[in-house]
Amino acid sequence: MSKRLIGLLILATAVWIVALYFLFFYDKTPRQTAQESQQQIEPLRRRLTDQQLEEIVGYIKTDFNNIDFFEPYLLKFNVEELTTQMLSSMSNLQGYTFAGYARGDKEQFILLARDKNVLKVSLDDVLDGRYLPIHITSFAVAVLDLRTGSILAIR
């Protein structure tokens, strides 16, 4: 065999060794799985204090013991919890635009614009036979959809 052929065999063997190393051994460090990374996050139960957990339970807890299926259900709505930020993030009721409101000792009403007409709506009126106004602010009205039970905003 000639020196040239021996040199090519040694070079081919070296190339094969490097290729096999990269194929089987390169970057085979153990990777962190999703299950391991979730164990590093501290559960919400451990991050909250007992007082905070009791407050959350108080928000969620509802008394279902005295339900009379033949009596209408009374919706308890806390208007103090309905902030301006919440009203601005609610879904908007299409077709109506808030034009203003008036509160007096004897009468309260909302002014809503619809198709270039201004409507005077009292708090007891139901819009389109479906939407009941429940809270008025200086820039929006929160209405309850009587069919779906969702709360929408008219801005």
Side-chain angles (χ1 to χ4, degrees):
M1 285 201 200
S2 71
K3 290 183 182 181
R4 194 175 195 181
L5 187 61
I6 293 175
L8 284 174
L9 284 174
I10 292 174
L11 183 63
T13 306
V15 168
W16 274 103
I17 290 173
V18 170
L20 290 174
Y21 170 77
F22 279 104
L23 183 64
F24 291 111
F25 301 110
Y26 184 74
D27 198 25
K28 295 296 180 180
T29 58
R31 292 192 176 121
Q32 189 177 27
T33 63
Q35 186 179 25
E36 292 174 358
S37 65
Q38 287 177 356
Q39 290 175 354
Q40 293 175 356
I41 299 172
E42 185 179 3
L44 185 63
R45 170 90 172 101
R46 292 187 189 142
R47 284 186 277 166
L48 296 174
T49 64
D50 290 337
Q51 182 182 4
Q52 290 171 331
L53 287 172
E54 287 176 12
E55 287 178 23
I56 292 172
V57 169
Y59 292 140
I60 296 172
K61 189 182 275 186
T62 306
D63 184 22
F64 290 110
N65 296 333
N66 299 327
I67 294 179
D68 186 4
F69 293 103
F70 300 104
E71 292 287 325
Y73 184 75
L74 176 63
L75 176 68
K76 296 178 182 177
F77 184 73
N78 189 355
V79 294
E80 283 80 24
E81 292 180 7
L82 188 62
T83 62
T84 305
Q85 183 180 10
M86 292 172 77
L87 272 173
S88 62
S89 65
M90 282 183 188
S91 299
N92 198 16
L93 179 62
Q94 300 298 322
Y96 290 99
T97 306
F98 182 71
Y101 74 100
R103 284 187 185 164
D105 292 335
K106 297 182 181 183
E107 186 179 12
Q108 294 182 358
F109 60 89
I110 309 162
L111 297 174
L112 300 175
R114 182 177 193 180
D115 300 327
K116 297 183 181 179
N117 296 326
V118 177
L119 306 170
K120 178 182 172 184
V121 179
S122 72
L123 289 176
D124 299 331
D125 292 343
V126 178
L127 301 170
D128 297 334
R130 182 175 179 174
Y131 304 105
L132 177 68
I134 54 176
H135 183 60
I136 309 169
T137 64
S138 61
F139 77 97
V141 177
V143 293
L144 174 67
D145 186 349
L146 297 175
R147 290 185 190 160
T148 63
S150 60
I151 298 177
L152 305 167
I154 300 174
R155 292 187 284 277

